[in-house]
Every structure is written in structure tokens, then in C-alpha cells.
Amino acid sequence: MEKTQQVHELLCRTRDSVRVIRGLSQQENVVFASACFACLFSKCGSKLAIVDLHGVKVLKTSDFTELMSVRRSNVQLLHFSECAKYLVSWEKPQEETPNLIIWDTTTGTPIYSLVQKKFMKECWPTIIFNADSTRFYIKGGSDLCIYRIPEPQPLLIFNQIRVTSFFISSKTNMLIIYTGDSKGEGSKISICVETATGLEKTAELGVKYVQEIKVLWNKDAQRAVIWCQTDVDTTGRSYYGEHSLYIYTPEIKLKQVKTTEGPIHDVQWNPVDNEFIVISGFMPATTNFFNLNGNKKSEIAKHHRNTIKWNRFGTLVLIAGFGNLHGEIDIYDKETMNMIGHCRAPSTVYCEWGPCGKVFVAATLCPRMRVDNGYCVYKYTGELLVRVMEPTELWEVAWTPQVFVFEPLTPSHKEQVVVQKKTYKPPGSSSGFAAHFKAVKESASGKLQVQHAPPPPPSDFIPGMAPEPAKKKKKKKKPAAGK
């Protein structure tokens, strides 16, 4: 169960310690006062895993007492199972020693020890548990291996399809398997269902060359949006490569979603409803609403934005422009789709709604930003509630998973906000000249007095030498009369 309380808790991991800040009054509780390289809350919020110089520790979040401690070196990544009973750790590979280990968090003993040398951080976690943590799935070469915990040998090795990456539905027995291009065969997306005898393929879609895909499941994990990406745009129009979007539904299987021409910047499902938002197109990008079948419902706005964040209740959505954009943040009310809040948080690396669904944090973190590390907490209206600047490097900020009672917004809190667009002014310039120039140009005469530059000096001019006196012109004598 998630922690049930009505006080926000925010975890901050710096170079020297891990702190938990209770509430917005900045009451600190130092959980770990030494160098920490990684930390992770379980999904239910009952446990906190920490990696230090000596190994891995698991703490109970109610009082931060130690539940498990193991000595391991070079641990870099962590992952909890759905029920927090198991913890997965990944270490830098050293020869043939196991570096991917599944731990039992109650006893601190390793359940499985595997070797995984080839690894991309973007593909973490490489071990996926089912909903009740009785089985886990892992890719072995081009095969998919399914283990039943704690049996040492795989329950099933699926090799009918070459597996590049796979995605598990958390609430059904469905899998999506992506097969990358090989020898010009093209890429494929396969929909499979797990049965008592193995995996059965129910649908397949051939797509053009794709380097990676992301799968986003809806609230009941029966529908999925599949985001296909390549690093290179063959047309040369986009720096972000080529993107395409597909949707899987039990009724229509697989079909392409029509988005605005250009790169896709972000896609997010409403956590409590069968609808999703897509930001796509060249900047200024277009933000659109789509229904459960992938058909466009409405256009929200056309602006410089690339990030979508829903609160956990699906009542508010944050649409922002981070990264190489200016950090503009818009908050929309889902019921009316009016903008009810706006603020600006430049240099934001991490942004997330709090568990109450009415405040959010925007943080500037290492290693992306080495200066001005800190975080700000904003209300959904854009009002700044807390600003904290860290004197040392800030590496991570995260809300403690908790259960808050849903409190709907009152009509007075849904008033639409109108953002005034400011004219661009170059850095270091003053607006006086521009205003004067415009006034003269629009005056009745409409004539500008142009001062011509002086002529250039002669080629034999010596810098610093006084200029030669101007020669007086001799007046011509008038001829005498009568001559």
C-alpha cells in the first residue's frame, strides 16, 4: 500500500547526502549522510533503495530503518518489482561475473544472478515483472525468456520472433514485441498474448526502418500508443529524426495516428480516461487531443512546447517547453481545457506533479546543469510557493509516493489566464531607439534625416599626425575692363 498522509515529502539527493523535506515549511530529515550514487522509491512508497560506497541498502520509509544491506561495488541502476518484494541492481560488467542481480528485500539474499554486458541506459529496466511479481521477463540474445520465481530455469524461451525490445501489459496477458530491421527485411511490431502453452501472435504490422520504439499503455493496459523513432531524417528537414505514431486497440488492432507534420515531441495518456495528448510538428508545435481510437478530438494550442505532464487524478495537465526552449509552463483544466495557470521555469531538468495533484516541482539538476542547482515548487495557478538553491550539486529530486484525497477545484479556481505576448528585445539593447524610430517613421512627414558618414582618410595618412591645414582657394583676378 502507498503511504496515506496529507503532508508532502520531497527527496533531495546531493553529492554528500540524501534528505527528505516534509511539507512546504522545509522541515528536513537527513536520511543518509554520506556519498550516495543512486536512490529509488518503490512504486508503493514503502521502501527506499540507496547505493553508497559500500553497496546497496533498502530502508523502510515510515521511519527510515534499515531492512536490507548488501556489499556490492559499481552498482549504478536500481529497479523495484511491482509489490516491492524484489529489487534489481545492475553493475558495470567485470569479466564473466554476474552483474544483473535480483534481491529479495526481506532477506537480502540474491534470487537470480545473471550476466548482462550489452546495455543501454535508455532501455532500463531490462527485467520486467508481472503485476503480482510471480514471473519476470528478460531478453536473452534475440529470444524472450520468461522465468517463474524462484525456479532457476526459464519457464519459456520464445524464439519464433526475433526480439529487439518488448513491452508487457501490467494488467493483461498481452505483450508488444518490436523486431528491428535486419538485412533489409524491415521492422515489425507484433502483438502477442501469453497462454498456458506459450506466446501466440495475434497481430503484426510492418513499418519502415525504425531504430527504437516507446510503448505507452492506457489506464487499464488494454490499449497502447506506439511511438516509433529514427535518429536521422532522410528528408533533411528535422534535426530530431523521423517520427511516427501508431495505436493498438482490441477492436481495430494496429493503425497509424495522424499527427501534425514534423517530429513528435511528447505523448501522454490521461491516467484516468481513454484519451491522450500529442505535441507534434515543427516549432511552434501543435498540441492535440485524441480519443481512445486515435482520432483527433480537438486542438489545444500551437506554441513552443515539448513536454506533457498529467496529475494523478487526470484533472490538470501541464504543457511546457524545456530543454532548448525557454521553460514556459501552461496548466490546463481538463474539464474546460482553459489555461488556468502559467509560469516560467528556465533550465528545468526535472518536472513532476506532487501526489496531491495541485502542486508541482521544477528542478535544475546535475549532470545536465552544473550551476544554479535547486528546485522550485509551484501551485497549479503558477504561483511560486518554494524556491531552494543548493550550495552543492543537486543530483536528484523526487516526491515520496503517497495517497492524497482528491479535492476538486472550485469554479473560482478555474478562471482562464491570458498570457500577454512580449515583443522580442535583443540582450543589451534598449527600447528607446526602437520607439523613436517607429514614431518618426509613422509621423506626418515620414522623412528620416540621414547623417552621412565622413569620407575615409587618404591612403598616406599617419595615425596621430595633425591634419594638414586646409588650403585656401586663390581668387581669380577679374580682367580689367576694356581689355
Side-chain angles (χ1 to χ4, degrees), residues 41 44 69 74 80 91 103 139 191 195 263 315 321-322 327 424 445:
F41 280 111
C44 60
S69 179
N74 297 321
F80 274 106
E91 309 163 9
W103 305 91
K139 192 169 79 77
I191 309 298
T195 63
T315 55
F322 297 138
Y424 173 74
S445 61

Side-chain angles (χ1 to χ4, degrees), residues 298-312:
S298 61
E299 180 178 314
I300 299 174
K302 192 170 185 179
H303 42 200
H304 291 79
R305 305 290 185 268
N306 59 6
T307 304
I308 304 167
K309 297 285 182 181
W310 286 94
N311 71 352
R312 64 182 300 174

Side-chain angles (χ1 to χ4, degrees), residues 36 76 86 118 139 157 192 198 294 311 359 400 423 451 458 467 475:
C36 176
Q76 295 192 340
Y86 303 108
K118 294 182 179 180
K139 192 169 79 77
I157 298 177
C192 299
N311 71 352
V359 299
T400 303
T423 57
Q451 295 183 354
K475 293 183 179 181

Side-chain angles (χ1 to χ4, degrees), residues 30-287:
V30 178
V31 176
F32 200 74
S34 64
C36 176
F37 305 111
C39 60
L40 178 69
F41 280 111
S42 62
K43 190 175 181 180
C44 60
S46 62
K47 297 176 183 177
L48 173 65
I50 293 176
V51 178
D52 64 0
L53 291 168
H54 307 291
V56 181
K57 292 180 173 63
V58 176
L59 309 178
K60 187 178 179 181
T61 55
S62 58
D63 54 5
F64 296 106
T65 55
E66 190 174 289
L67 297 175
M68 170 189 128
S69 179
V70 293
R71 296 185 68 87
R72 301 292 298 187
S73 59
N74 297 321
V75 176
Q76 295 192 340
L77 296 169
L78 301 170
H79 172 62
F80 274 106
S81 64
E82 292 293 319
C83 61
K85 184 179 180 181
Y86 303 108
L87 176 69
V88 183
S89 66
W90 184 86
E91 309 163 9
K92 280 187 177 181
Q94 297 178 355
E95 298 179 352
E96 295 299 322
T97 56
N99 65 325
L100 185 66
I101 302 174
I102 301 177
W103 305 91
D104 188 331
T105 58
T106 56
T107 62
T109 56
I111 306 298
Y112 291 90
S113 298
L114 308 170
V115 176
Q116 187 177 61
K117 290 186 176 181
K118 294 182 179 180
F119 173 75
M120 292 178 63
K121 192 173 181 179
E122 295 77 14
C123 298
W124 183 256
T126 53
I127 288 180
I128 307 296
F129 294 88
N130 64 343
D132 57 1
S133 298
T134 57
R135 298 191 307 274
F136 72 87
Y137 305 75
I138 184 172
K139 192 169 79 77
S142 59
D143 302 335
L144 178 62
C145 302
I146 303 175
Y147 285 81
R148 179 187 286 131
I149 302 173
E151 295 177 4
Q153 297 300 322
L155 175 68
L156 173 69
I157 298 177
F158 182 71
N159 54 15
Q160 279 77 21
I161 301 174
R162 184 170 51 85
V163 179
T164 304
S165 59
F166 66 96
F167 306 87
I168 310 295
S169 170
S170 60
K171 298 180 181 179
T172 65
N173 58 346
M174 187 172 63
L175 294 84
I176 294 179
I177 296 176
Y178 164 65
T179 303
D181 181 57
S182 177
K183 300 178 182 180
E185 297 176 355
S187 304
K188 294 179 182 179
I189 299 172
S190 304
I191 309 298
C192 299
V193 176
E194 188 175 354
T195 63
T197 57
L199 291 180
E200 179 183 344
K201 184 169 67 173
T202 60
E204 184 178 87
L205 176 68
V207 293
K208 64 179 181 179
Y209 173 64
V210 173
Q211 289 179 306
E212 65 171 318
I213 72 168
K214 294 181 182 179
V215 174
L216 298 98
W217 300 95
N218 71 331
K219 62 183 181 67
D220 53 10
Q222 293 184 352
R223 290 173 166 80
V225 169
I226 304 169
W227 181 0
C228 303
Q229 305 177 44
T230 61
D231 292 338
V232 179
D233 184 2
T234 54
T235 64
R237 296 185 61 190
S238 174
Y239 170 80
Y240 301 98
E242 291 183 277
H243 297 225
S244 57
L245 203 65
Y246 297 86
I247 189 169
Y248 168 80
T249 65
E251 300 82 15
I252 60 174
K253 300 304 180 184
L254 286 163
K255 80 164 189 176
Q256 187 168 4
V257 179
K258 294 181 180 180
T259 60
T260 306
E261 183 182 3
I264 297 172
H265 305 282
D266 201 3
V267 183
Q268 292 296 330
W269 283 95
N270 185 331
V272 298
D273 204 351
N274 285 321
E275 58 188 2
F276 59 95
I277 295 178
V278 180
I279 302 178
S280 59
F282 300 102
M283 289 295 170
T286 305
T287 303

Side-chain angles (χ1 to χ4, degrees), residues 3 26 37 64 83 162 217 279 353 369 387 404 433 435:
K3 296 173 68 176
Q26 302 298 295
F37 305 111
F64 296 106
C83 61
R162 184 170 51 85
W217 300 95
I279 302 178
W353 284 99
M369 299 291 292
R387 182 190 296 274
F404 273 70
F433 175 77

